[in-house]
Amino acid sequence: MSYLVIFAVVLVLMNTYPVLASQDLLFASKRDSLKSQAAVMASALMELESLSADQVARVMNMLDSMGLKRILVTDPSGLILYDSTVQHPEEETEGPPQYRYALYQEVVAALRGSDVAYSRYANRTFTSTAACPIVYRGMVIGAIYILEVDEVQGSLLLNLQENLRSISLVIAVVTLVMSTLFSKVLTARIAALLRAIRIVGEGEYGHRLQPVGRDEMAQLAGEFNSLTDRLQTTEEVRRRFVSDASHELKTPLASIRLLADSILQTDEMDPAMVRDFVGDIGSEAERLTRITEHLLALTRLDSLPEGERWAVDVSQVTERTIALLQPVADAAGVTVERNLKPDCFILCTEDDLSQICFNLVENAIKYNYDGGKVFASVYRDGDQVLLEVGDTGVGIPEEDLPKVFNRFYRVDKARSRAAGGTGLGLSIVRDTVRRHGGWVTARPRSPEGSLFTAGFPRYLPTEKGAAQ
Ligand code: ADP
């Protein structure tokens, strides 16, 4: 609408200003030329000293009327001495003399001593008048009045006006049609985008737009689609996580409930059996605690900002973690071998790095055989520090390798559960490693078992002291 209003204003200006300006120009030039014509005639008449009708007629007949419609010459009282529109004054003066006065305002002004000229435009015609005094020795001895009627220039002006009007009309129609068309197309596309936003906002994440063309609206539609893609993926991950988490929590709770009910409902239960059941309830409760702790750890990784990081020696932390897990390894009959190189610093927090080492080494012990081995090594590789944990354990089938880092994913559910696993340990490892700019992979180890490698950007202390 505002676009149309601007156009309307421009068209009105285009229709009025040039016409008015050319009218003014013509008026000015007409006035000037008439004034000078009147002055020329007045100067010819000045020679006569005193004006009489005959003398004036004689002089005037010698002058060129220059296409003027009417020329009047009056004496100082305004009495007409010569009128170019009257062909034979002698014939008219038969009988009693007729005195005619030219009492036009131009004549009155000229008799008072001023040159005047007027122009007006009406009915396709320019009508211009001019008058000037005839002065002899400082005395006004008469006035000359001329009238010009110009239809040629009038019709030229009219043509200009009409041409402008037709051009404006065409422009107005084209503009109106184009604006309506454009705004309809644009508003339809905006409305489609709005509708799509509303639909996705209501939870239908599968809705997509069809981008048409390559303009900004199409780009907007493309951006909207990729945003919705991400939203859909996030939503799916969230849903899966919530359902997996509730399932994981439900299982130990159901066992606890079953065991407690059995104790309550069985009369005179064997005390050894009761102890057994209560022991089971205890271990299920422990599992619940582990799951919630792991869930909390993951939530913390998702939502908490990165804490302050320091240069941490990966070899030292790995050594400490292995020492912590030694009793577990002994109980499982697994030997842990290490090859920890010095000067392997990374920017991290010690808690996070311990968590990574702990989960990897614990898994290598958990999914191992009695008499098996775990190999932990830390070394530098270019500008990276690598932490490798290999084992001679059960190994991971090729097809499961990419999925082991997913939340709640377990290759062998029963074994994981029996070993007290939650299915979250490797997710925590992956999220923590990524948080510190690193990466982690799992692959089979030859001849048996599996090999987990975590890589971190190496920290190069400018001063050795600062790193420690
Ligand atoms: P869990 O608590 O079950 O150990 P993780 O996320 O730590 O969960 O590991 C996911 C799954 O990957 C485990 O259930 C197990 O099947 C497999 N896995 C992890 N580490 C090893 C390993 N060193 N050897 C064989 N399988 C492993």
Side-chain angles (χ1 to χ4, degrees):
M1 279 311 286
S2 45
Y3 188 56
L4 286 180
V5 168
I6 292 170
F7 245 96
V9 170
V10 169
L11 288 183
V12 168
L13 280 179
M14 191 176 133
N15 272 278
T16 49
Y17 179 73
V19 174
L20 288 179
S22 42
Q23 221 175 53
D24 278 352
L25 234 108
L26 274 170
F27 281 164
S29 82
K30 290 248 173 250
R31 279 197 302 265
D32 286 351
S33 82
L34 279 194
K35 256 187 188 173
S36 58
Q37 280 180 32
V40 168
M41 290 176 185
S43 66
L45 291 167
M46 260 175 225
E47 317 276 309
L48 297 173
E49 293 180 22
S50 71
L51 303 177
S52 70
D54 290 346
Q55 283 171 319
V56 171
R58 193 156 35 83
V59 173
M60 292 312 289
N61 286 339
M62 287 188 325
L63 290 174
D64 180 8
S65 73
M66 290 181 272
L68 295 170
K69 180 98 175 158
R70 193 176 189 190
I71 305 170
L72 289 181
V73 181
T74 71
D75 73 357
S77 64
L79 180 73
I80 295 175
L81 299 174
Y82 172 78
D83 185 346
S84 63
T85 53
V86 180
Q87 286 302 313
H88 304 289
E90 325 69 64
E91 288 165 20
E92 271 188 35
T93 50
E94 265 175 28
Q98 286 182 359
Y99 298 112
R100 293 192 310 149
Y101 289 91
L103 296 175
Y104 302 122
Q105 57 170 339
E106 293 90 334
V107 175
V108 175
L111 290 176
R112 283 197 189 126
S114 14
D115 291 355
V116 284
Y118 298 106
S119 246
R120 76 200 151 77
Y121 174 71
N123 301 333
R124 305 169 167 225
T125 317
F126 276 100
T127 312
S128 316
T129 53
C132 77
I134 305 166
V135 184
Y136 180 71
R137 289 196 180 159
M139 291 274 296
V140 177
I141 55 165
I144 181 149
Y145 166 91
I146 54 180
L147 166 77
E148 188 203 59
V149 176
D150 185 347
E151 281 176 355
V152 179
Q153 306 229 31
S155 61
L156 274 179
L157 195 71
L158 201 77
N159 272 351
L160 172 74
Q161 219 167 352
E162 273 165 6
N163 283 344
L164 283 177
R165 203 168 298 153
S166 346
I167 293 170
S168 308
L169 203 72
V170 172
I171 293 177
V173 170
V174 171
T175 313
L176 197 73
V177 171
M178 299 284 269
S179 323
T180 319
L181 221 72
F182 281 149
S183 66
K184 273 228 153 59
V185 170
L186 200 68
T187 36
R189 293 169 77 186
I190 292 174
L193 184 64
L194 272 179
R195 214 175 316 117
I197 290 173
R198 226 167 279 144
I199 291 171
V200 172
E202 279 162 12
E204 212 183 291
Y205 298 107
H207 187 79
R208 294 288 179 279
L209 281 171
Q210 290 291 327
V212 184
R214 277 190 300 168
D215 60 358
E216 283 81 355
M217 282 304 293
Q219 284 172 21
L220 208 63
E223 287 297 320
F224 170 82
N225 284 348
S226 55
L227 195 75
T228 318
D229 276 346
R230 286 205 291 277
L231 210 62
Q232 192 174 22
T233 314
T234 314
E235 181 59 17
E236 270 163 21
V237 169
R238 189 189 68 83
R239 273 203 198 138
R240 204 176 323 122
F241 180 66
V242 169
S243 93
D244 288 351
S246 11
H247 178 76
E248 291 297 324
L249 292 171
K250 236 164 55 192
T251 324
L253 279 174
S255 312
I256 290 174
R257 179 110 193 256
L258 199 75
L259 290 163
D261 280 353
S262 316
I263 297 171
L264 281 176
Q265 281 162 15
T266 321
D267 299 327
E268 294 174 21
M269 194 185 245
D270 179 13
M273 202 172 192
V274 174
R275 211 170 304 120
D276 249 14
F277 277 20
V278 174
D280 287 348
I281 291 176
S283 51
E284 287 302 316
E286 232 171 70
R287 206 148 82 84
L288 273 178
T289 315
R290 258 196 317 275
I291 294 174
T292 31
E293 271 170 3
H294 279 176
L295 283 175
L296 279 175
L298 277 170
T299 319
R300 239 178 279 129
L301 282 174
D302 280 347
S303 56
L304 280 193
E306 248 174 53
E308 198 150 347
R309 300 193 297 174
W310 300 97
V312 185
D313 186 342
V314 185
S315 296
Q316 267 182 22
V317 173
T318 312
E319 180 63 63
R320 273 205 294 273
T321 312
I322 293 171
L324 204 69
L325 280 165
Q326 195 58 56
V328 184
D330 293 344
V334 173
T335 353
V336 183
E337 289 183 9
R338 49 210 28 87
N339 177 15
L340 312 172
K341 299 272 187 268
D343 282 341
C344 292
F345 288 96
I346 62 166
L347 264 191
C348 193
T349 65
E350 215 173 296
D351 283 351
D352 282 356
L353 186 60
S354 303
Q355 179 82 75
I356 295 164
C357 285
F358 189 94
N359 288 5
L360 291 179
V361 177
E362 193 197 28
N363 277 353
I365 300 170
K366 251 184 353 195
Y367 301 104
N368 218 322
Y369 301 113
D370 194 356
K373 279 187 178 168
V374 171
F375 309 96
S377 44
V378 174
Y379 58 95
R380 289 185 316 237
D381 181 17
D383 52 1
Q384 294 194 95
V385 170
L386 301 186
L387 161 67
E388 270 182 7
V389 181
D391 61 61
T392 54
V394 296
I396 303 170
E398 197 81 31
E399 68 271 16
D400 290 308
L401 279 173
K403 294 184 248 167
V404 288
F405 294 101
N406 292 352
R407 291 174 183 190
F408 296 114
Y409 190 82
R410 296 169 173 115
V411 179
D412 181 347
K413 277 197 176 39
R415 189 180 177 118
S416 159
R417 217 158 263 164
T422 60
L424 292 171
L426 287 181
S427 310
I428 294 174
V429 169
R430 185 194 52 192
D431 289 8
T432 318
V433 167
R434 283 191 183 163
R435 200 170 143 98
H436 296 292
W439 49 265
V440 60
T441 57
R443 63 197 143 101
R445 184 182 170 278
S446 67
E448 79 243 287
S450 25
L451 178 67
F452 285 82
T453 313
F456 302 89
R458 189 176 160 216
Y459 174 69
L460 297 162
T462 38
E463 286 171 43
K464 190 118 204 296
Q468 282 146 351

